[in-house]
């Protein structure tokens, strides 16, 4: 304590410098600290949260499926390079984005909702709000609208000037993974096996293409026969790759715990989902059963896990940039012309 007091007295400008740093953080929204915080835009764009919420509410009420799409955008963003908006970048002749990766190609959607939000915010407070923060807030709001629990979204992310097609192909969990593969994939991002089971519950909403569940319904045995027969009507053996079916056949447009009840009944649609509940597994079966019986526990745990995921390797301070158009790096950046 004595050393600290002496240091402050020896350098009378110390308090002024500290004040100036804090003032700069608040007034221009750029800090050198690696901390995200709730009040990041309070001075620079005070209507940011309300603008995003209104836009997401409108989009999801017009098409409930959009809620799952916005959640998935944020998930796929954070699992590649961290939550930095890289998933939104388009390919150009001199730049390769992530949209054409195996998990994303002809699959990700909701870009127009993010574009609309970004346009509104650029009119209000140009060059202030990052695309990465828009994705983070939109995901929480979308889950809340569909019946889940919103989570606290800390703010201050900046947008990447890079993307990684290879990381998108390797790090986003694939629908054909076995249990050990799922645990390993999530562990690489700092999640426990329990958090993996929780985050997999995102599949309580949304649709999936036939090509990703055909092998399960035709070749696997740990599947309810009547459920498999119904899915074969949607997904023929040799046709209909892009035909869609809900991950959760019970309540596909509501964020609830029916996904876990499906797993207990051997009605998981993709291989990786049913891997969470297999005969004799003591590792994940008890958690699946608990969630199937207690929606309150699941939605609480899901919000906590999403809060953690939303903080994966964000760019802060002077790293990255604030894109004016979420699809493209700002044209002054040399790496992107």
């Amino acid at each position: 304590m004595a050393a600290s007091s002496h240091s402050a007295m020896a350098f009378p400008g110390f308090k002024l410098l500290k004040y100036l740093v804090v003032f700069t953080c608040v007034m221009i929204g750029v800090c050198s600290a690696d901390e995200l915080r709730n009040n990041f835009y309070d001075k620079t764009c005070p209507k940011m949260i309300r603008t995003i919420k209104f836009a997401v509410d409108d989009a999801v009420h017009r098409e409930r499926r959009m809620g799952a799409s916005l959640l998935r955008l944020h998930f796929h963003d954070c699992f590649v390079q961290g939550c930095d908006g890289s998933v939104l970048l388009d390919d150009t002749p001199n730049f390769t984005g992530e949209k054409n990766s195996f998990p994303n190609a002809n699959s990700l959607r909701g870009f127009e909702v993010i574009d609309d939000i970004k346009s509104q915010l650029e009119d209000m407070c140009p060059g202030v709000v990052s695309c990465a923060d828009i994705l983070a807030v939109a995901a929480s709001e979308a889950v809340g609208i569909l019946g889940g629990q919103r989570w606290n979204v800390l703010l201050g992310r900046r947008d990447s000037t890079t993307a990684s097609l290879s990381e998108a192909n390797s790090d986003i969990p694939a629908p054909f993974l076995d249990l050990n593969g799922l645990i390993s994939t999530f562990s690489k991002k700092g999640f426990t096996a329990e958090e993996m089971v929780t985050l997999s519950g995102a599949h309580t909403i949304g649709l999936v293409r036939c090509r990703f569940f055909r092998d399960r319904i035709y070749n696997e045995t740990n599947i309810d026969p009547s459920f498999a027969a119904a899915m074969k009507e949607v997904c023929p053996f040799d046709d209909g790759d892009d035909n869609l079916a809900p991950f959760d056949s019970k309540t596909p447009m509501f964020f609830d715990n029916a996904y876990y009840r499906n797993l207990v009944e051997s009605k998981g649609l993709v291989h990786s989902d049913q891997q969470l509940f297999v005969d004799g597994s003591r590792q994940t079966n008890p958690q699946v059963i608990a969630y199937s019986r207690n929606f309150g526990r699941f939605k609480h745990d899901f919000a906590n896990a999403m809060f953690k995921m939303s903080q994966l390797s964000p760019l802060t301070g002077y790293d990255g940039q604030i894109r004016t158009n979420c699809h493209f790096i700002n044209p002054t950046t040399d790496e992107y012309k």
Side-chain angles (χ1 to χ4, degrees):
M1 290 295 292
S4 297
S5 298
H6 177 75
S7 177
M9 290 177 65
F11 299 98
F14 177 78
K15 290 185 177 180
L16 176 60
L17 176 61
K18 183 177 180 181
Y19 169 79
L20 288 174
V21 170
V22 173
F23 178 80
T24 301
C25 289
V26 172
M27 293 308 296
I28 68 172
V30 177
C31 303
S32 59
D34 291 331
E35 297 288 326
L36 304 177
R37 61 185 192 276
N38 288 115
N39 65 347
F40 190 83
Y41 296 108
D42 282 5
K43 299 294 185 182
T44 56
C45 198
K47 296 183 180 179
M48 174 261 198
I49 295 290
R50 185 172 68 178
T51 300
I52 296 176
K53 286 188 173 183
F54 283 169
V56 173
D57 289 359
D58 179 64
V60 175
H61 283 117
R62 283 188 283 108
E63 183 198 9
R64 289 187 68 84
R65 182 189 173 196
M66 186 56 68
S69 299
L70 293 173
L71 174 60
R72 189 163 180 255
L73 268 181
H74 181 48
F75 189 105
H76 284 214
D77 182 38
C78 293
F79 259 62
V80 181
Q81 299 190 164
C83 307
D84 62 359
S86 62
V87 72
L88 302 172
L89 289 169
D90 287 350
D91 288 356
T92 75
N94 299 312
F95 184 91
T96 302
E98 299 160 9
K99 290 182 178 179
N100 286 315
S101 65
F102 175 75
N104 295 341
N106 302 313
S107 177
L108 286 182
R109 57 196 304 274
F111 299 108
E112 70 279 6
V113 177
I114 304 302
D115 292 343
D116 175 59
I117 294 169
K118 180 62 172 174
S119 177
Q120 292 184 55
L121 292 174
E122 283 297 306
D123 287 342
M124 291 180 194
C125 31
V128 171
V129 180
S130 69
C131 303
D133 273 347
I134 294 172
L135 284 175
V137 176
S140 176
E141 183 63 17
V143 168
I145 295 169
L146 295 180
Q149 179 176 317
R150 294 169 177 84
W151 52 92
N152 180 29
V153 180
L154 301 179
L155 303 168
R157 298 165 193 79
R158 287 169 65 83
D159 298 322
S160 69
T161 57
T162 63
S164 178
L165 181 67
S166 62
E167 195 173 323
N169 281 321
S170 64
D171 285 19
I172 295 173
F176 50 78
L177 288 178
D178 291 332
L179 180 59
N180 287 337
L182 287 168
I183 292 172
S184 176
T185 298
F186 278 81
S187 178
K188 284 176 62 178
K189 305 300 177 182
F191 294 106
T192 65
E194 290 77 15
E195 289 168 331
M196 178 274 293
V197 174
T198 302
L199 289 170
S200 296
H203 285 174
T204 192
I205 51 177
L207 307 177
V208 59
R209 286 183 291 169
C210 163
R211 68 178 68 188
F212 294 123
F213 63 86
R214 179 183 283 118
D215 187 64
R216 169 154 169 75
I217 63 175
Y218 284 97
N219 297 321
E220 296 187 12
T221 56
N222 62 335
I223 186 169
D224 178 84
S226 61
F227 174 70
M231 291 300 100
K232 289 175 183 177
E233 294 294 319
V234 177
C235 182
F237 184 76
D238 55 2
D239 193 17
D241 277 3
D242 293 328
N243 292 355
L244 296 170
F247 283 107
D248 167 15
S249 57
K250 287 183 170 64
T251 54
M253 298 301 166
F254 293 89
F255 193 96
D256 56 21
N257 61 338
Y259 165 81
Y260 295 100
R261 298 201 302 273
N262 289 333
L263 300 186
V264 173
E265 297 169 5
S266 298
K267 294 179 181 178
L269 185 55
V270 297
H271 176 81
S272 58
D273 283 346
Q274 194 60 55
Q275 284 290 294
L276 304 184
F277 191 85
V278 294
D279 289 343
S281 173
R282 296 181 179 180
Q283 191 163 15
T284 55
N285 282 11
Q287 186 178 355
V288 170
I289 292 172
Y291 283 164
S292 74
R293 296 172 177 172
N294 190 335
F295 173 50
R297 175 179 169 182
F298 163 56
K299 72 176 182 179
H300 174 267
D301 289 354
F302 187 82
N304 286 340
M306 287 300 302
F307 174 74
K308 178 177 176 178
M309 190 183 77
S310 71
Q311 297 179 73
L312 285 178
S313 304
L315 298 173
T316 58
Y318 291 95
D319 292 334
Q321 61 180 208
I322 304 298
R323 291 186 216 134
T324 57
N325 181 332
C326 292
H327 292 262
F328 303 103
I329 294 167
N330 295 343
T332 55
T333 301
D334 292 338
E335 291 84 1
Y336 191 89
K337 295 180 178 179

